[in-house]
Amino acid sequence: MAFHEVRFPANLSFGAIGGPERRTEIVTLASGFEERNTPWAHARRRFDAGMGLRSLDDLAEVVAFFEARAGQLHGFRWKDWSDFKSCLPSAMPRFDDQVLARGDGRERSFSLSKAYRSGEATYRRPITKPVAESVRAGIGGDEVFLGTHYSVDHRTGTITFSEAPEVGADITAGFEFDLPVRFDTDRIAVSVASFQAGQVPDIPVVEVRI
């Protein structure tokens, strides 16, 4: 098993249907009250890649991509058009979009993440596949610059500063990101006649843990 640092064609993922999935275990007690628990700390996203296909040329491109990944064997990058920025979809990433941590004067490496807030609740999602050259960073409210002040591992989502941020300084970042996924099938079944008539193949894609 391996992960290929290649993105599924973004123009074909644009029409895909999918989103986050949670797993919740619910036990109804004799009193009628419920106990709810989840074994998952993070959501898992699923998509149907077939929904973005518009022509036989699109289908040929997906089949080639599928064969190169050996079906379910190798993971790859996926652009989720509904959620691929550290900021709102209408905005451009800024260096202060997300607070990653606070400096302690010793640590130089930090993992990228994105916070989802609603009311008093906040969920922090790990970001492991930032888009190359999209990451901007800041320390203590001031922007710092790639190559001079920090480097980014685009395979793991880790940002490393040349010098440890000072104690109490907010470490911030803004970025675009992909999802690590794999095909959730070892078979693509399609009839050329039905495809031309508007029936698209079912090509499931599922997020993987990195």
Side-chain angles (χ1 to χ4, degrees), residues 120-141:
E120 297 182 356
T122 299
Y123 162 65
R124 185 161 293 278
R125 174 186 178 187
I127 301 299
T128 58
K129 297 296 177 183
V131 174
E133 310 303 323
S134 75
V135 179
R136 300 174 62 183
I139 300 176

Side-chain angles (χ1 to χ4, degrees), residues 7-80:
R7 179 194 272 178
F8 186 89
N11 62 310
L12 301 183
S13 66
F14 182 74
I17 294 177
E21 171 190 54
R22 288 280 182 173
R23 176 170 293 178
T24 307
E25 298 172 346
I26 302 174
V27 176
T28 302
L29 305 178
S31 62
F33 287 94
E34 293 181 343
E35 289 185 352
R36 296 184 294 273
N37 191 27
T38 177
W40 290 5
H42 305 291
R44 194 180 196 189
R45 285 157 174 79
R46 293 181 180 272
F47 301 90
D48 184 355
M51 299 303 295
L53 307 188
R54 298 291 182 268
S55 68
L56 289 176
D57 287 348
D58 291 346
L59 178 60
E61 188 173 3
V62 169
V63 169
F65 192 93
F66 178 86
E67 293 285 25
R69 309 286 87 74
Q72 299 186 77
L73 186 61
H74 301 300
F76 54 92
R77 287 174 173 256
W78 173 273
K79 183 173 184 176
D80 175 4

